[in-house]
Amino acid sequence: MKYSLNPSWKFLVRNWKSGELQLIAFAIFIAVVCITSMVFLTESIQAGLEDTSGSLLGSDWVITSPKPIEEEIVKKTHHLGLKTTTTVNFLTMLTRKTTDGSFSRHVSKTALKRAMPKYDEELVLAEVQAVGKNYPLRGQLRTAVQLFAKDEIASSIPEKGTVWLEARLFPILGLEIGDEVIIGSAFFKVDRVLTNAPDRTLEGINMAPRVLINEGDLGATKILQPGSRVTYKLLIAGQDENLKQFKNWVTPKLTPTETLIDSRQSRPVLNIALQRTNRYLGLIFLVNVSLSGVAIAMVARRFSLKQFDSVAILRCFGASGWWILKRYLSNLLLLSLIVGALGISVGLSIYNALKSLFLNEMLFELPGLAITIPVIIGLCTVFVLLFGFALPPLLSLQKISPLRVLRKDLDPPNLSNRLVFLFAILAVTFLIMFQTRDVELTGILVLLTLGISSVGLWVIYGLLQWVSRVGQFLIPLQNLGGIRRRGRENALQILAFSLVLTFIGALFLVRTDLLRTWKDQIPFQAPNYFVVNIPPTLLASFKAFLQEGSINSVHLDPVMMGRLVSVNQEPVKMQIDLSNEKQRVFTRLLNLTWSQKLQSDNRVVEGQWFSESDNGKGVISVERGFADRLNIKLGDKLDFQISEKRITAVVTSIRTVEWDSFQPNFYVIFPPKTLENLSRTYITSFYLPPEKINFIKKIVQNFPMVSVIDTQMIVNQLKSFFDTISDLVQYLWGFTLMVSFILLFAAIISTLDERREEAILLRILGAGQRQLLWILLSEFVLLGLLAGTIGGISANGILYWLSQTVFDLPYRINYEVLLLMPVIGMVLVGFGGWAGTRSVFLTPPYRAFR
Amino acid sequence: MGKDRLNKENRSKIRNMFIRAEHLTKKVAVGSHSLTILQDISLDIEQGESLAVVGVSGSGKSTLLGLLAGLDMPTQGRVVLDKVDLNTLNEDQRAKMRAKNIGFIFQNFQLLSNLTALENVMLPLELHGMKEPDKRAKELLEKVGLIERLQHYPKQLSGGEQQRVAIARAFVIRPRILFADEPTGNLDQKTATNIIHLLFELNQHYHTTLVCVTHDPLLGKRCKRMLHLEGGQLVS
């Protein structure tokens, strides 16, 4: 027999006409559209998030050096296809050019040495950053045309001869746009207000207000002289692989004064948020693929059942098992290609529509290569869904006996599809791994889903038998027998409903927890100003001054500068790797403080926080990262040199600290009274509404010795970061809901034929419409109730596990979901069942029977 | 017919023999019991012969037809079709044999509902790997008087028309043997008469061996030979 003469497309067209294939195609289409647009979105937002993370440095990596970056290093970056730009940062005094053309400039050497901003009517210490074209490589440079005007993304760097200044410089220097300022020996026209520049952190040099100029103007300032304190930066961005390659190459070449910084290491809070977002995306992806898979398996099972008679006829007329299999396989293949291409294009269109309509600011253009990732994942998804979930029911078709044309009761033997299911599970696992790039998460999720499904099926089947036996004595439902009769189908159906409700519930709960956590991360009115160097003598008057300005309940922490000299009497310099910047930083001066109370953003993870009996003793609490890097344990003795005094203290607790809480935080804390005789200053932070910026000028005028640090830009950056990931989580949640409804639909129609036939027969036998409706609704509502109850319980169970293992979030039982899910189950499944069978009530019984 | 001994008188008869059934027994499992549907059936059918198998419902007629056509395998005994012992073939090999040699007509027509009349008739030719199957399919549909209904779907055709499509489908491969299971069972008397007439007309035209399972005495009488089944055994 020649097999090629019945072209696959003809077979496809004929099967298509039967309508059943249309249902499979529809289920796959919706799944692919959802999954592809989701992957497009996540890839794009991922790029955006990486960018946001990178925006803290203005790039993925930065090399900082006190001298110009070696040409060899720059060449290597080009060779590896990495994008680069350079900046030169230095502190200098900035002054306004007066109207008569003269200017006053006297650079205080002591001020430079202190590296702290000093506010003066005419002279301000500022951090000048001369930037090259392409700056920044990551993140956004935002400017406004006027003070307090709405800002926008800057498409270029400052023109030569112009300067962009931070807003706080305007009132201090009495500047307006168009005025001129002097940096070194050069004049610059004030062109724009700098509202957001990347590479802002809460440390060191960034305390001074930022001034941006074109690197072409650097020479004209004549500031860069031998011995000048300047930081040269090479900003680098590119693909992970290339960056890693570069890191391996460059690390041994760096001198002790040069440092390579990774954007992801610079912000642990963002890292955790990014990791949680990634994991949530992975979870959503798994849920979408699994739900689609189950939906497709159910639709395919129905399709396969409906093919039994046709296949028996084909077998009777001489079609071999292989011929049958080949036809259905080629059908699936053709369908995958057509539906896949269609689904992916629609997915792309949805992504584009969303991008242009709502998400402009949080989505990043995917570069050419990145577009292929969603396409590949989309296509893989189609094949996995079709061949992993639709194929197993179809495989049984080749085993149909031709004798079925004479004996309708002959069903194909139950095939052992374990291998195919194993393949499906492996394929789904691979897909999730490819999407999430997280082995641990993938393993947990896949095992969780499999566990729930198998245990769930077993429990549900038993429960159904029990309900149908016990239920008939409790409630007069004629159709409870139907639940037992269709035990297997109903168990599968409830499993499908339960899976939907479990996943919807779990995703909802995780989403709520994540959103709450992120919202709490940056409190409303997060402190946007830090004030340092407040002398103890002015403490009371400073507090009173703040209260006059309606800034109340401000907490002031004492600060002492000290150096860690030894750990357990071993000099600290002997214990650290001096070429390691992370360790070397602790050999410099540290900010030390004392406190009776543990701050709310600190958590003791080892040992005990100070009691009142510790006051005045040589004990300390150290931050975990500090302890880890210097290998400090509880009970270790640390020696500090504070001013002229040597203090020895034993570590009695180790704390974690939220560095991004916008509160002053410290690596080392003493109890009260231990350091009280030493010279100290105070530090505080507070929120000041943008329109009250002039209050800063008043502080500087009244307390010239204090330094004010503006952190508004960092607050804004973090706010936009958390807003972005919150929006993302909301959108993806919507996609999952869509996929869930397909599964719900598929599960409802899976036993619809049998139910319809029964209903029609009952109508012919004289059952009234109301009676029939009651029978059908009671069965569906009961199924929904069971599924909802299981869904509510499992959603809480999953949340517990995910909170503990994947998201590291605190867990609490959610009673709303526990109580609401059964109701949602009853309403959804009841309504779906009614919608699916209502034609029975609308059509005369005889016509319906035909 | 029983266990014929080879002798000089029936040698020529054996040469023409197309189907031979030897001691066919079919048992099926019902729960923990075994139910005998056919018991020790032996018969010979010559090429070009028309045979009617009659009997009451449940006498095993359709089971016998299924075994003779190679749709099912006997519990004991064997069927030799065109000198090939069907017991030696697997399901796919039997399918290949059916595709080449055998046509079927069923009581409930067994047309594929998603195919038009023409596509239904083309189906066996496509399975057979024939080029331009539509040409011969149209010829047959013309012969059964349905040339105007080529693009109609089964549900758009009457019972008699559907059976005519089924007849066209059965004859389109020019089968050497045609099995008909109650071909007039679902039709009124007048339509049944027309269908019987058409069936025998085509049977003669294509020199097909015809095996009919029927209740219909009219159809039984038109066949050259009639066998009676009762309780799974041949009674005459």
Side-chain angles (χ1 to χ4, degrees):
Chain A
M1 198 188 297
K2 293 176 195 168
Y3 298 109
S4 56
L5 290 176
N6 186 3
S8 301
W9 63 265
K10 200 192 251 182
F11 195 73
L12 179 69
V13 170
R14 286 174 183 175
N15 269 331
W16 183 259
K17 283 192 276 186
S18 73
E20 304 301 325
L21 207 56
Q22 293 171 21
L23 214 56
I24 296 187
F26 178 69
I28 294 171
F29 174 72
I30 297 291
V32 173
V33 168
C34 285
I35 288 166
T36 318
S37 45
M38 198 192 97
V39 178
F40 268 120
L41 271 176
T42 48
E43 284 293 321
S44 162
I45 294 170
Q46 204 88 294
L49 290 180
E50 302 266 314
D51 197 283
T52 307
S53 163
S55 73
L56 300 162
L57 289 178
S59 60
D60 296 327
W61 299 84
V62 170
I63 295 178
T64 61
S65 172
K67 57 185 193 324
I69 308 288
E70 296 290 333
E71 192 55 32
E72 185 195 5
I73 293 176
V74 181
K75 271 188 186 159
K76 183 68 179 177
T77 58
H78 294 160
H79 178 69
L80 287 169
L82 297 167
K83 283 198 290 183
T84 58
T85 187
T86 50
T87 69
V88 181
N89 294 42
F90 53 90
L91 287 168
T92 189
M93 301 310 282
L94 185 74
T95 187
R96 181 167 65 91
K97 187 180 163 194
T98 54
T99 41
D100 59 4
S102 67
F103 60 91
S104 61
R105 183 163 71 94
H106 65 100
V107 179
S108 148
K109 283 184 183 173
T110 48
L112 273 172
K113 275 182 192 164
R114 284 177 61 200
M116 287 284 175
K118 286 290 272 182
Y119 291 85
D120 189 284
E121 274 292 328
E122 295 175 322
L123 201 65
V124 170
L125 184 69
E127 183 200 353
V128 175
Q129 184 170 27
V131 296
K133 63 173 186 178
N134 298 333
Y135 173 85
L137 299 177
R138 298 279 189 225
Q140 293 172 348
L141 196 56
R142 297 181 77 92
T143 59
V145 287
Q146 285 297 334
L147 203 57
F148 307 125
K150 189 174 169 11
D151 64 349
E152 52 193 38
I153 300 170
S155 53
S156 61
I157 58 170
E159 298 273 322
K160 278 182 91 175
T162 68
V163 66
W164 296 350
L165 306 176
E166 262 188 49
R168 58 178 152 151
L169 286 169
F170 284 78
I172 293 167
L173 289 174
L175 284 169
E176 281 181 17
I177 294 287
D179 286 353
E180 285 194 305
V181 292
I182 301 137
I183 302 170
S185 309
F187 294 87
F188 291 87
K189 188 182 157 205
V190 177
D191 192 33
R192 278 171 176 266
V193 184
L194 182 64
T195 57
N196 185 25
D199 60 354
R200 302 291 299 181
T201 64
L202 288 172
E203 298 167 77
I205 200 165
N206 281 316
M207 288 174 178
R210 177 79 66 91
V211 171
L212 222 61
I213 60 169
N214 191 302
E215 70 175 355
D217 288 332
L218 203 52
T221 63
K222 294 183 182 160
I223 282 178
L224 299 188
Q225 306 295 334
S228 313
R229 192 174 163 179
V230 175
T231 305
Y232 292 86
K233 292 183 181 178
L234 178 67
L235 281 64
I236 308 157
Q239 303 280 331
D240 276 356
E241 274 308 304
N242 299 344
L243 285 170
K244 270 182 208 157
Q245 218 178 324
F246 175 71
K247 187 185 177 187
N248 292 339
W249 177 86
V250 81
T251 307
K253 292 194 161 27
L254 294 177
T255 62
T257 54
E258 289 170 332
T259 314
L260 178 69
I261 308 166
D262 177 352
S263 66
R264 288 179 218 185
Q265 289 166 359
S266 63
R267 285 284 172 157
V269 169
L270 291 196
N271 263 343
I272 294 168
L274 257 181
Q275 198 187 18
R276 281 179 181 162
T277 315
N278 268 334
R279 296 193 145 190
Y280 191 74
L281 298 183
L283 184 66
I284 283 195
F285 186 75
L286 168 94
V287 168
N288 283 352
V289 173
S290 309
L291 293 185
S292 310
V294 177
I296 285 158
M298 294 192 94
V299 179
R301 187 169 172 271
R302 185 171 182 254
F303 172 73
S304 159
L305 287 175
K306 293 217 157 189
Q307 297 300 302
F308 282 6
D309 289 341
S310 304
V311 171
I313 296 169
L314 288 168
R315 297 284 277 152
C316 181
F317 281 99
S320 65
W322 171 234
W323 189 93
I324 302 277
L325 190 63
K326 215 173 132 180
R327 284 293 160 261
Y328 282 98
L329 279 178
S330 54
N331 252 216
L332 282 191
L333 197 68
L334 274 175
L335 203 65
S336 326
L337 291 174
I338 297 167
V339 174
L342 211 63
I344 289 168
S345 3
V346 173
L348 182 60
S349 312
I350 289 181
Y351 159 70
N352 279 328
L354 279 177
K355 200 173 64 164
S356 57
L357 279 175
F358 312 108
L359 304 160
N360 243 343
E361 300 217 340
M362 65 189 242
L363 288 181
F364 275 64
E365 279 300 334
L366 283 174
L369 193 65
I371 280 190
T372 55
I373 294 174
V375 172
I376 291 170
I377 292 181
L379 271 179
C380 288
T381 309
V382 177
F383 286 110
V384 167
L385 289 178
L386 270 176
F387 288 93
F389 293 94
L391 186 61
L394 292 181
L395 279 181
S396 59
L397 291 178
Q398 59 167 334
K399 293 287 173 196
I400 283 180
S401 165
L403 194 63
R404 193 181 153 89
V405 292
L406 299 173
R407 285 181 52 196
K408 289 283 176 207
D409 58 318
L410 284 179
D411 284 344
N414 273 332
L415 279 180
S416 169
N417 288 329
R418 277 182 216 149
L419 265 180
V420 182
F421 278 121
L422 190 70
F423 166 75
I425 291 164
L426 285 178
V428 168
T429 310
F430 171 76
L431 256 185
I432 297 167
M433 203 121 79
F434 186 68
Q435 166 68 7
T436 59
R437 292 122 181 159
D438 188 336
V439 180
E440 186 198 354
L441 172 75
T442 309
I444 289 175
L445 292 183
V446 172
L447 286 178
L448 203 65
T449 313
L450 286 179
I452 291 174
S453 307
S454 42
V455 173
L457 199 61
W458 182 69
V459 170
I460 291 163
Y461 191 71
L463 212 59
L464 277 182
Q465 298 298 312
W466 181 81
V467 165
S468 60
R469 262 199 305 274
V470 177
Q472 58 195 341
F473 299 112
L474 301 176
I475 23 174
L477 295 177
Q478 292 99 318
N479 216 30
L480 281 176
I483 289 185
R484 193 170 44 195
R485 264 202 319 281
R486 282 186 283 271
R488 191 162 166 260
E489 287 76 15
N490 279 337
L492 281 174
Q493 211 169 27
I494 295 186
L495 180 69
F497 294 146
S498 308
L499 270 183
V500 170
L501 296 173
T502 302
F503 280 139
I504 289 183
L507 285 181
F508 172 77
L509 292 176
V510 175
R511 165 188 155 275
T512 312
D513 278 0
L514 284 180
L515 293 185
R516 191 191 308 121
T517 312
W518 290 337
K519 204 177 160 201
D520 292 348
Q521 202 82 54
I522 302 176
F524 178 62
Q525 298 191 345
N528 53 358
Y529 286 94
F530 274 65
V531 182
V532 298
N533 292 342
I534 307 162
T537 47
L538 294 177
L539 206 55
S541 57
F542 185 76
K543 269 187 180 173
F545 187 79
L546 287 185
Q547 271 170 3
E548 270 174 42
S550 309
I551 300 165
N552 298 313
S553 56
V554 167
H555 179 77
L556 288 115
D557 291 298
V559 183
M560 279 134 291
M561 303 300 277
R563 195 183 297 277
L564 176 64
V565 183
S566 66
V567 177
N568 295 330
Q569 288 163 353
E570 279 257 340
V572 77
K573 283 189 178 169
M574 303 288 284
Q575 297 190 5
I576 61 164
D577 173 8
L578 281 172
S579 64
N580 184 335
E581 170 66 19
K582 281 186 195 164
Q583 292 194 354
R584 204 172 61 228
V585 74
F586 300 119
T587 64
R588 298 177 191 154
L589 279 176
L590 295 169
N591 286 325
L592 308 170
T593 191
W594 73 71
S595 176
Q596 183 77 69
K597 271 173 65 183
L598 182 67
Q599 255 178 238
S600 59
D601 54 352
N602 282 218
R603 198 156 56 94
V604 172
V605 287
E606 278 181 63
Q608 293 287 323
W609 181 248
F610 309 128
S611 62
E612 284 199 14
S613 59
D614 290 322
N615 293 357
K617 288 185 182 166
V619 288
I620 47 167
S621 173
V622 295
E623 191 263 342
R624 183 154 73 178
F626 177 85
D628 287 349
R629 285 181 218 169
L630 292 175
N631 203 20
I632 293 170
K633 310 234 167 353
L634 281 182
D636 282 355
K637 273 187 184 169
L638 272 58
D639 288 318
F640 293 90
Q641 184 72 40
I642 306 170
S643 303
E644 303 302 314
K645 208 170 170 188
R646 179 69 68 99
I647 300 220
T648 303
V650 177
V651 178
T652 56
S653 67
I654 295 176
R655 291 165 293 125
T656 54
V657 170
E658 286 178 33
W659 289 108
D660 286 299
S661 64
F662 299 96
Q663 302 292 340
N665 262 304
F666 300 87
Y667 288 125
V668 179
I669 304 177
F670 286 78
K673 295 182 184 166
T674 310
L675 306 176
E676 269 175 20
N677 296 329
L678 299 168
S679 68
R680 61 188 180 271
T681 56
Y682 282 82
I683 180 172
T684 190
S685 66
F686 55 82
Y687 172 76
L688 187 75
E691 64 274 13
K692 288 192 177 174
I693 194 167
N694 277 330
F695 185 68
I696 295 297
K697 192 176 171 185
K698 285 184 192 161
I699 292 179
V700 176
Q701 283 167 344
N702 286 283
F703 301 91
M705 65 298 296
V706 307
S707 305
V708 182
I709 304 158
D710 182 355
T711 55
Q712 185 63 48
M713 274 192 198
I714 302 171
V715 174
N716 289 347
Q717 269 183 6
L718 288 180
K719 262 194 178 145
S720 117
F721 174 83
F722 286 113
D723 285 351
T724 302
I725 53 178
S726 301
D727 283 355
L728 163 69
V729 162
Q730 300 277 39
Y731 278 107
L732 297 181
W733 157 246
F735 276 116
T736 309
L737 276 185
M738 262 169 77
V739 175
S740 304
F741 283 118
I742 306 171
L743 176 55
L744 221 55
F745 177 66
I748 284 170
I749 64 162
S750 67
T751 59
L752 218 55
D753 292 336
E754 201 187 334
R755 284 197 168 89
R756 273 170 57 92
E757 271 171 34
E758 265 184 29
I760 293 165
L761 205 63
L762 285 172
R763 275 202 75 189
I764 290 171
L765 294 175
Q769 287 199 11
R770 189 176 287 183
Q771 198 180 4
L772 213 53
L773 185 68
W774 169 240
I775 291 173
L776 279 171
L777 267 184
S778 63
E779 192 175 338
F780 276 116
V781 166
L782 193 63
L783 294 183
L785 174 70
L786 280 175
T789 311
I790 294 167
I793 297 169
S794 344
N796 266 289
I798 288 188
L799 177 71
Y800 174 74
W801 202 18
L802 290 179
S803 303
Q804 302 294 310
T805 58
V806 178
F807 292 105
D808 196 20
L809 289 168
Y811 171 76
R812 63 176 182 91
I813 287 188
N814 190 297
Y815 292 102
E816 292 94 326
V817 164
L818 215 53
L819 296 172
L820 268 179
M821 275 299 170
V823 180
I824 293 174
M826 285 195 289
V827 172
L828 274 182
V829 179
F831 176 77
W834 171 80
T837 44
R838 80 198 160 98
S839 62
V840 174
F841 307 108
L842 303 174
T843 325
Y846 181 67
R847 262 179 59 201
F849 205 54
R850 273 169 67 92
Chain B
M1 293 286 276
K3 303 167 189 174
D4 288 348
R5 291 180 59 194
L6 297 175
N7 55 40
K8 286 180 185 173
E9 286 82 32
N10 61 17
R11 240 177 231 160
S12 69
K13 203 174 174 181
I14 290 170
R15 261 201 303 276
N16 287 332
M17 198 190 302
F18 191 53
I19 304 173
R20 163 172 278 199
E22 292 176 0
H23 309 294
L24 288 184
T25 297
K26 181 69 184 177
K27 293 178 180 173
V28 290
V30 181
S32 56
H33 301 285
S34 163
L35 182 71
T36 304
I37 299 174
L38 285 179
Q39 191 157 20
D40 199 26
I41 305 274
S42 294
L43 60 87
D44 288 334
I45 304 167
E46 285 180 38
Q47 192 151 18
E49 188 183 1
S50 57
L51 171 75
V53 180
V54 293
V56 294
S57 290
S59 58
K61 303 186 298 290
S62 295
T63 307
L64 179 60
L65 183 134
L67 293 177
L68 294 176
L71 296 177
D72 196 9
M73 296 304 286
T75 314
Q76 280 166 25
R78 63 173 188 159
V79 174
V80 179
L81 201 148
D82 196 17
K83 295 171 190 156
V84 177
D85 182 350
L86 294 187
N87 282 4
T88 63
L89 305 180
N90 63 25
E91 175 46 46
D92 281 349
Q93 289 166 323
R94 293 200 301 275
K96 203 170 173 183
M97 174 168 253
R98 286 197 297 273
K100 270 186 191 167
N101 302 303
I102 301 175
F104 289 94
I105 300 170
F106 303 101
Q107 178 179 3
N108 50 2
F109 324 128
Q110 299 281 21
L111 298 176
L112 296 183
S113 57
N114 55 325
L115 303 192
T116 62
L118 179 65
E119 286 169 339
N120 263 294
V121 179
M122 280 160 56
L123 192 66
L125 297 172
E126 289 172 347
L127 284 169
H128 201 250
M130 189 185 214
K131 285 183 181 171
E132 297 184 26
D134 54 326
K135 205 172 157 192
R136 184 150 4 140
K138 279 179 191 163
E139 256 175 51
L140 257 295
L141 280 166
E142 192 172 6
K143 275 197 170 74
V144 300
L146 289 176
I147 193 69
E148 305 295 327
R149 318 293 296 265
L150 297 180
Q151 299 307 326
H152 284 64
Y153 287 93
K155 65 180 176 191
Q156 298 167 312
L157 300 171
S158 69
E161 286 169 332
Q162 286 190 49
Q163 195 59 303
R164 278 196 272 165
V165 175
I167 290 172
R169 181 180 64 181
F171 280 102
V172 77
I173 57 160
R174 297 187 183 151
R176 294 170 70 192
I177 182 161
L178 181 75
F179 288 98
D181 180 32
E182 305 275 13
T184 55
N186 275 356
L187 304 172
D188 62 77
Q189 191 60 47
K190 194 180 166 199
T191 313
T193 310
N194 290 337
I195 288 294
I196 292 168
H197 181 72
L198 181 67
L199 187 61
F200 280 90
E201 192 183 296
L202 290 172
N203 188 39
Q204 274 175 3
H205 184 260
Y206 291 111
H207 305 291
T208 312
T209 305
L210 178 66
V211 179
C212 268
V213 162
T214 184
H215 278 115
D216 190 343
L218 195 67
L219 180 57
K221 276 180 202 160
R222 286 288 302 264
C223 293
K224 277 187 192 160
R225 190 152 62 110
M226 199 180 330
L227 293 175
H228 284 270
L229 260 183
E230 206 175 292
Q233 289 180 311
L234 279 179
V235 291
S236 65

